[in-house]
Amino acid sequence: LKLQFLYFIVLLFGAFKTMKKLIIIVSATVAGLIGTFSKFSSTREVANTAASPGNEEVDLSEMLPLNYSKDAFCRNGRLSPSVFVIGVQKCGTTTLQGILDLFPTIHAGVTKEHHMFDHPPTPSRHDNSYSKEFPLCKRYKRILDNTPNYTNPESSSSARIKEYAIRNNMPLDQILFIAMVRPNHKRLKSAFTHEFSINDNFPPEWKNLSYSDWVHNHLHKETPSNDRMQLKSRGYYGKIFKSYFKEFPQSTFLFIESTKAFSSQQPIADALSKMLGLPKVTIKNLVWENSASVKKNVVKPVISLEEDTRMVKEYFRPHELEFQKLLYDNNNRVHTIPQHNFFESWEL
């Protein structure tokens, strides 16, 4: 009996060792499977992120902080703009303002749009009245003026901004211009709806026109009355920005292609932080802002036919090609977001 008991103990011990090895093997197998699955999931997530449109990372090493002296923009105790968001209308300037509002040390003044330089000076609209729209120097690091009408080609805004800066001894090489742009076949539809919703200043023959009717009947008519609301001329990007490059050869320009860039907004915030010397902010939720205009007029829904898009692309292609060449010719003082394939969706 004693021998049988010892034999039983030996068998039990052997079975325990075998079971222990089996448990180790099973555990290692399960861990390996989990690790493989995790690695696969991570790889798939990275691949999906990389494939997402507009999600190109901004190489911040290529963006140096701009030379900036706050004292140079302090006038009569108030800080003047060193950053100008100059447009383009219906390309996302309000959403950009929402991103800029996340930075606690930059301020846009009493209103988003100041309209100081898109009209000639008047006795009630002058440098002193403009400066009173902005806070005291000690409160903020940077001030911006976000007025999309500064890229209205009829406004002479670039020359007036330069005259203002020189008159007040502001260093031109410390001024940053930011422009939101997108392909005109996307901008024009939005501009058409916006203007016809709030504006009574359109020609009588345009009343009750659909977007498609307007494209087919008025796009190629080159008369002043035909572009009374600058629906077309605001898309003459080459002409518009050529004037800014001419007036401000020392200044820096940041162009943001809103069609792609807004789907991944953190790189925009990071670039602004780096260029303007502001503390970094984290965008937890995408910023989407749109000014709620009072709808005065009833506008037919914008239904864009394939033929409409083709005609608009064809009409604006020379202007967009001129703009493309302008950026290439001035690449030493131009930054773009996205940095690569900026014109990919423009089909130039």
Side-chain angles (χ1 to χ4, degrees):
L1 289 175
K2 289 182 179 180
L3 289 174
Q4 288 178 344
F5 178 74
L6 290 173
Y7 182 67
F8 174 75
I9 294 297
V10 170
L11 288 176
L12 189 63
F13 181 73
F16 175 77
K17 289 183 66 177
T18 302
M19 184 63 71
K20 185 176 179 181
K21 290 181 180 179
L22 183 62
I23 291 172
I24 293 173
I25 292 172
V26 170
S27 298
T29 303
V30 170
L33 288 173
I34 292 174
T36 302
F37 178 76
S38 299
K39 185 176 181 181
F40 171 75
S41 299
S42 176
T43 303
R44 183 176 60 181
E45 182 179 347
V46 170
N48 288 339
T49 302
S52 300
N55 212 338
E56 296 89 344
E57 290 298 319
V58 174
D59 185 358
L60 296 179
S61 65
E62 297 181 12
M63 291 188 171
L64 300 176
L66 299 181
N67 182 31
Y68 176 67
S69 170
K70 180 178 173 179
D71 291 341
F73 292 88
C74 188
R75 184 177 182 275
N76 296 330
R78 294 185 179 273
L79 196 56
S80 297
S82 57
V83 180
F84 290 89
V85 179
I86 54 178
V88 173
Q89 188 185 65
K90 308 313 298 176
C91 289
T93 57
T94 308
T95 296
L96 176 63
Q97 185 63 55
I99 296 174
L100 286 162
D101 286 342
L102 299 175
F103 292 92
T105 56
I106 190 169
H107 199 269
V110 297
T111 182
K112 175 197 170 228
E113 299 185 19
H114 294 269
H115 294 282
M116 173 65 180
F117 306 107
D118 48 356
H119 302 287
T122 66
S124 61
R125 192 72 172 129
H126 45 75
D127 290 1
N128 286 336
S129 66
Y130 181 57
S131 66
K132 290 178 181 177
E133 297 177 6
F134 301 105
L136 299 175
C137 297
K138 62 182 179 181
R139 296 184 60 186
Y140 294 94
K141 182 174 182 178
R142 288 269 196 174
I143 295 296
L144 69 98
D145 179 346
N146 184 343
T147 305
N149 204 46
Y150 290 163
T151 43
N152 181 340
E154 310 301 325
S155 70
S156 303
S157 296
S158 59
R160 292 195 183 108
I161 295 173
K162 183 176 182 179
E163 290 168 3
Y164 166 79
I166 293 175
R167 195 163 56 241
N168 291 281
N169 298 314
M170 296 174 183
L172 302 184
D173 63 336
Q174 296 186 25
I175 293 177
L176 172 66
F177 292 97
I178 304 177
M180 308 295 305
V181 294
R182 59 174 169 164
N184 275 291
H185 68 275
K186 297 182 179 179
R187 178 199 64 84
L188 192 62
K189 289 186 291 184
S190 179
F192 177 89
T193 304
H194 174 76
E195 290 296 340
F196 275 75
S197 297
I198 67 170
N199 203 332
D200 292 323
N201 192 33
F202 50 82
E205 63 270 21
W206 289 13
K207 190 173 183 180
N208 297 322
L209 276 182
S210 69
Y211 175 71
S212 186
D213 290 337
W214 185 87
V215 167
H216 281 263
N217 296 311
H218 295 277
L219 181 63
H220 288 280
K221 290 182 179 178
E222 304 297 344
T223 61
S225 63
N226 191 56
D227 198 29
R228 190 179 300 174
M229 295 178 290
Q230 294 85 42
L231 291 177
K232 294 187 296 184
S233 57
R234 289 179 190 273
Y236 298 167
Y237 296 152
K239 175 184 176 181
I240 292 168
F241 294 113
K242 185 177 182 179
S243 69
Y244 274 94
F245 284 130
K246 178 183 177 182
E247 298 288 354
F248 294 92
Q250 313 97 317
S251 301
T252 302
F253 292 80
L254 173 62
F255 290 90
I256 303 175
E257 211 280 31
S258 58
T259 304
K260 298 180 68 176
F262 276 166
S263 63
S264 181
Q265 297 176 0
Q266 188 61 52
I268 298 177
D270 292 343
L272 293 170
S273 171
K274 182 74 177 288
M275 295 181 75
L276 299 176
L278 304 176
K280 291 188 68 174
V281 297
T282 300
I283 298 180
K284 297 180 180 179
N285 300 303
L286 290 180
V287 178
W288 298 112
E289 302 284 353
N290 193 12
S291 55
S293 303
V294 178
K295 304 298 181 184
K296 295 184 188 176
N297 308 308
V298 177
V299 183
K300 294 181 181 180
V302 174
I303 301 175
S304 179
L305 305 176
E306 186 175 335
E307 177 65 10
D308 302 337
T309 302
R310 185 196 65 77
M311 291 178 65
V312 173
K313 286 181 178 179
E314 181 182 85
Y315 177 84
F316 282 104
R317 183 169 288 113
H319 300 285
E320 293 175 348
L321 285 170
E322 183 183 4
F323 173 52
Q324 184 183 51
K325 184 177 185 302
L326 193 66
L327 296 196
Y328 290 155
D329 291 345
N330 293 273
N331 62 4
N332 61 319
R333 56 201 179 106
V334 166
H335 297 280
T336 63
I337 300 177
Q339 285 175 301
H340 308 292
N341 303 317
F342 185 84
F343 290 100
E344 184 177 26
S345 64
W346 296 50
E347 301 178 17
L348 299 179

